[in-house]
Amino acid sequence: MKRKIKQESRYRRHKRVRAKIFGTARRPRLCVFRSNRHIWTQLIDDEKGKTIIAVSDLEIGQKTKSKKQKAKKPSFAKAIKNKEEKRAGKIALAYEVGKLIAKKALENKIEKVVFDRGGYKYHGRVKALAEGAREAGLKF
């Protein structure tokens, strides 16, 4: 029952956010969806109703599996020293997804986007994805 209430409140927040933002071909909407395991993001042109670019953490997971590298969580002492090492697990993957979508967007000559957090609070994985995209060169 509690899960249903959370989903409904997220859906209401999402409708509120979507009423205010709109993506165009020049400035597409950067839409975020997250589940308990994964995170997806898309650049959407709302005028045509088309997805321009889509990226998920599954793509990044395939790259690390092919290199046979496992992401290790940093110790607490190291996490305090370096901001980059502070991200671990799903938050680190979300950050990498943000960097990857920004890289693909810049290849397609898209520099500015409208951020659609999908009804999620701007915290944790959603925030990490946005920071990664900003650092890689996208402007919100």
Side-chain angles (χ1 to χ4, degrees):
M1 197 67 177
K2 188 175 182 179
R3 188 175 101 196
K4 189 174 182 181
I5 292 169
K6 285 177 92 172
Q7 287 174 343
E8 287 174 0
S9 62
R10 179 198 157 253
Y11 180 69
R12 274 188 261 123
R13 275 194 310 267
H14 187 76
K15 282 186 359 185
R16 231 181 2 251
V17 170
R18 284 286 290 122
K20 297 173 187 173
I21 62 174
F22 189 78
T24 62
R26 283 187 166 177
R27 191 171 180 162
R29 178 168 53 100
L30 178 68
C31 184
V32 177
F33 177 77
R34 67 173 175 82
S35 69
N36 286 338
R37 291 186 181 187
H38 301 289
I39 191 160
W40 292 268
T41 185
Q42 299 176 335
L43 287 178
I44 301 171
D45 177 7
D46 287 322
E47 291 174 337
K48 295 180 182 175
K50 301 272 182 176
T51 299
I52 302 168
I53 302 168
V55 176
S56 73
D57 63 343
L58 297 168
E59 294 176 29
I60 294 170
Q62 290 172 354
K63 289 180 184 177
T64 56
K65 285 180 183 178
S66 64
K67 293 180 182 179
K68 293 186 179 179
Q69 294 175 347
K70 292 185 179 179
K72 293 182 180 177
K73 291 186 179 180
S75 68
F76 183 71
K78 287 183 183 178
I80 294 172
K81 291 180 184 177
N82 192 351
K83 191 174 183 180
E84 287 294 316
E85 291 181 12
K86 194 173 184 180
R87 298 180 185 98
K90 292 187 273 188
I91 293 177
L93 274 175
Y95 180 79
E96 293 300 319
V97 168
K99 285 171 59 175
L100 185 60
I101 194 142
K103 179 184 169 191
K104 287 186 177 185
L106 293 173
E107 287 172 2
N108 287 347
K109 299 177 183 175
I110 298 170
E111 295 178 1
K112 293 185 178 182
V113 296
V114 179
F115 188 63
D116 176 11
R117 57 189 173 85
Y120 303 108
K121 294 177 182 175
Y122 188 78
H123 184 268
R125 289 189 281 162
V126 176
K127 183 179 177 182
L129 187 138
E131 288 174 353
R134 279 193 190 106
E135 269 190 37
L138 275 184
K139 293 179 181 137
F140 289 34

